[in-house]
Amino acid sequence: MGGAAGRRRLLVALWFVATWLGAAAGDAATASVDGRRAVASTGEDFVCATLDWWPPEKCDYGTCAWGRASLLNLDLSNKVLLNAIKAFSPLTLRLGGSLQDKVVYGTADLRQPCTPFVKNDKEMFGFTQGCLPMRRWDELNAFFRKSGAKIVFGLNAFNGKVLMPDKSLKGPWDYTNAASLIRYTVNKGYKIHGWELGNELSGGGVGARVAADQYSADVIGLKSIVDKIYQGNPSKPLVLAPGGFFDNAWFTELIAKTKPNLLNVVTHHIYNLGAGVDTHLMERILDPSYLDGMASTFSNLQGILKSAGTSTVAWVGEAGGAYNSGHHLITDAFVFSFWFLDQLGMSAKYDTKSYCRQSLIGGNYGLLNTTTFQPNPDYYSALLWHRLMGTKVLATTFSGTNKIRAYAHCAKDSTGITLLLINLSGNTTTQVSVTSEGAAAAHKHGLKKHSRKTRHVHVPGFSGFAEAAGAMRNEYHLTPKDGNLQSQVMLLNGRALATDADGNIPRFEAVKVDAAQPITVAPYSIVFSHIPHFSVPACS
């Protein structure tokens, strides 16, 4: 056993030396981290994932990518599924999606048979109304308890409303069936982290829309139901809304009408890369200026919340990048970790408290393979983030190539910082020196512009680091198998990540590096670097 582990460590060390020597002449750059104060903070359970309702008959562009990944038919006995969720301890799961506003709940008061979704192209989203049987709700909750997941449930906001020819929904929300589900859940002792109202009904809507004033009234109705049913209950769930695309005027009105505390979380969705069938997905993912385009949404929402004087916080409630189920061998391959980790880093800078990836399983953007349940590369990226990046976000400026994205947080459950470096260049290795100089001045100007000046500072310029003779840092280098960006196998420090025969998630073994050396970022690679001796007053 020791021999095998020793051999593995030797191979990793040899891989790292070969990588470092091969890159020794790479471009020089500097990441400056301001450790004096945090510029934002995330929630403890920042990484979140979604589970959806889509039946196997859900198809896009002639491809049916959902299989049995629905909340109604997912195999809850699968060991990899259980272990993948448990590895986060805890993972927040948001249950919802397009069909959530067509789901009724099979509680005792439902005055109709509890029947499944049926494919019907004349219906909105191509399916009839479906029903969640309480037997299945019991099975799901038993699984959630076993896995330690924290659950946010998206409620049907259509009930009682009339769909007009212009796709607007008129009338107040009929909460009878939803209240019945909430009461059933409480009576059974099932723990729910939050109840969310509606899916993609904000602004112009997707399929249908609700005006902001009516939505606000509906949310206030949900809040009063939750308060009433959970009265005296020590763990009262969050109330979340609207689970839709950001629209400045619409969100401003919702937040104004529910302040200061009638809405705990405002949720918005992100599919900024275009349709899953789009042929330009790869080039957008690798284009720094395209990635920067999302900053305005995060910034605008943060601005609304700050000026409103509300306790409401922001979450990304669903983000699959490319809509209509994603694109096989892009949104489920190594290349998508560039987009995903950049989204996590960018959203965190604007006080986003949780970021829910569409999906945990299902479609072509699942963190797990829909058929085999094996983790796709983004699963490992998400888990590394969860284990290494703390809640406090530090201002980070990067001087050098604009092809490197740099984000720093206080280290999770440890001293120092964790620096995330994403190299969007396929032909340039960059030597990144880390310093604590100059970040404060640059931060005054808001979003940092990448400077073309390069400096090569071998020993980071802050006290308490250079003096620590022999100080080391931990590095986690992520690369695609065979250098193929569309590979579904991710390498960690040269070693393929995969579950074992018992479905256990692999251990993440870092490479220890002399802290005085710059960080080598190979072409098309991602590096998490935990620097324990970095002096950070903000983190203490």
Side-chain angles (χ1 to χ4, degrees):
M1 185 73 173
R7 274 196 305 278
R8 197 162 63 232
R9 277 195 292 273
L10 178 62
L11 284 170
V12 167
L14 289 171
W15 169 84
F16 186 77
V17 168
T19 303
W20 195 85
L21 288 173
D27 286 3
T30 305
S32 291
V33 180
D34 186 350
R36 290 171 293 185
R37 64 183 188 91
V39 294
S41 67
T42 67
E44 284 291 339
D45 314 315
F46 179 59
V47 177
C48 158
T50 66
L51 286 171
D52 213 307
W53 294 100
W54 289 120
E57 297 79 19
K58 156 72 170 166
C59 306
D60 300 280
Y61 321 115
T63 303
C64 310
W66 284 87
R68 295 178 67 80
S70 161
L71 285 160
L72 296 173
N73 59 31
L74 182 63
D75 177 9
L76 302 176
S77 68
N78 186 282
K79 282 191 291 192
V80 180
L81 179 67
L82 179 66
N83 292 337
I85 297 171
K86 280 172 99 167
F88 281 83
S89 60
L91 178 64
T92 300
L93 291 175
R94 180 249 183 183
L95 318 184
S98 299
L99 293 181
Q100 84 179 48
D101 291 312
K102 306 189 85 169
V103 179
V104 293
Y105 318 116
T107 53
D109 74 319
L110 186 68
R111 305 273 181 261
Q112 62 189 71
C114 188
T115 53
F117 292 109
V118 176
K119 183 98 179 95
N120 183 340
D121 292 333
K122 292 193 178 74
E123 292 262 357
M124 190 189 299
F125 305 125
F127 289 90
T128 62
Q129 178 180 278
C131 179
L132 170 64
M134 290 303 95
R135 180 184 69 253
R136 180 61 176 179
W137 186 228
D138 295 339
E139 291 169 1
L140 285 164
N141 278 283
F143 174 76
F144 298 147
R145 184 176 288 169
K146 194 174 173 185
S147 66
K150 290 168 75 168
I151 301 306
V152 170
F153 188 92
L155 293 162
N156 176 345
F158 272 27
N159 277 340
K161 295 188 183 295
V162 179
L163 183 62
M164 309 305 282
D166 66 352
K167 296 292 178 81
S168 64
L169 288 162
K170 299 292 185 200
W173 177 49
D174 178 352
Y175 55 75
T176 316
N177 191 223
S180 178
L181 174 71
I182 295 171
R183 266 193 299 273
Y184 178 93
T185 302
V186 171
N187 292 339
K188 285 280 195 169
Y190 301 151
K191 204 166 173 199
I192 298 293
H193 185 54
W195 296 100
E196 185 177 31
L197 184 63
N199 185 80
E200 295 177 357
L201 301 171
S202 56
V206 176
R209 68 179 190 276
V210 179
D213 60 342
Q214 181 59 62
Y215 216 110
S216 305
D218 296 342
V219 167
I220 293 165
L222 173 59
K223 171 77 169 131
S224 69
I225 293 159
V226 168
D227 285 349
K228 190 173 166 188
I229 296 175
Y230 284 88
Q231 195 172 4
N233 193 315
S235 56
K236 188 186 289 183
L238 302 170
V239 171
L240 307 89
F245 292 97
F246 180 73
D247 176 292
N248 208 313
W250 197 101
F251 272 63
T252 300
E253 187 174 347
L254 173 70
I255 289 159
K257 288 187 167 157
T258 54
K259 72 178 190 184
N261 56 13
L262 295 173
L263 178 62
N264 302 113
V265 180
V266 62
T267 48
H268 66 109
H269 292 182
I270 295 174
Y271 288 89
N272 64 318
L273 296 172
V277 74
D278 198 302
T279 54
H280 301 287
L281 296 177
M282 289 262 286
E283 60 203 68
R284 285 181 195 144
I285 291 166
L286 297 171
D287 178 353
S289 60
Y290 194 90
L291 295 178
D292 285 339
M294 268 312 292
S296 60
T297 296
F298 295 125
S299 173
N300 290 342
L301 180 53
Q302 184 187 37
I304 294 170
L305 292 170
K306 274 186 175 168
S307 60
T310 178
S311 61
T312 306
V313 298
W315 285 24
V316 172
E318 181 184 313
Y323 59 84
N324 291 345
S325 306
H327 188 117
H328 182 45
L329 298 184
I330 295 180
T331 55
D332 54 5
F334 180 87
V335 71
F336 209 47
S337 279
F338 293 140
W339 176 85
F340 183 37
L341 288 171
D342 189 64
Q343 278 281 301
L344 294 180
M346 187 189 294
S347 63
K349 288 199 310 190
Y350 294 98
D351 262 332
T352 302
K353 301 304 181 190
S354 193
Y355 191 107
C356 302
R357 167 62 181 264
Q358 171 85 342
S359 60
L360 176 64
I361 187 164
N364 285 317
Y365 36 37
L367 297 178
L368 306 179
N369 181 290
T370 306
T371 312
T372 65
F373 289 78
Q374 275 300 310
N376 284 323
D378 281 2
Y379 172 84
Y380 296 116
S381 295
L383 188 54
L384 270 166
W385 175 291
H386 177 76
R387 290 183 178 174
L388 297 172
M389 304 290 267
T391 58
K392 290 180 181 175
V393 185
L394 304 171
T396 309
T397 50
F398 189 85
S399 70
T401 168
N402 72 341
K403 288 285 194 179
I404 288 200
R405 318 284 284 178
Y407 300 99
H409 285 221
C410 294
K412 177 114 173 231
D413 302 330
S414 185
T415 56
I417 64 166
T418 300
L419 178 66
L420 167 63
L421 298 166
I422 301 165
N423 191 355
L424 303 173
S425 167
N427 46 30
T428 309
T429 295
T430 304
Q431 302 288 329
V432 180
S433 296
V434 186
T435 170
S436 66
E437 295 170 329
H443 182 67
K444 278 185 199 153
H445 300 100
L447 266 178
K448 278 68 76 188
K449 289 200 166 47
H450 294 298
S451 139
R452 286 276 170 189
K453 272 191 319 202
T454 62
R455 287 174 292 143
H456 203 160
V457 188
H458 274 283
V459 179
F462 46 86
S463 61
F465 186 102
E467 296 88 330
M472 305 294 280
R473 63 173 181 258
N474 286 331
E475 290 184 2
Y476 303 81
H477 293 251
L478 302 175
T479 51
K481 188 176 184 218
D482 301 326
N484 175 14
L485 286 181
Q486 292 184 267
S487 172
Q488 292 186 283
V489 177
M490 178 178 261
L491 308 183
L492 170 60
N493 297 331
R495 200 170 133 243
L497 291 169
T499 61
D500 65 15
D502 294 323
N504 295 309
I505 302 301
R507 287 182 54 208
F508 294 151
E509 292 185 25
V511 170
K512 293 204 177 300
V513 183
D514 177 353
Q517 294 299 328
I519 300 167
T520 299
V521 190
Y524 284 154
S525 77
I526 295 160
V527 183
F528 284 94
S529 180
H530 172 218
I531 309 171
H533 296 284
F534 198 104
S535 171
V536 226
C539 301
S540 54

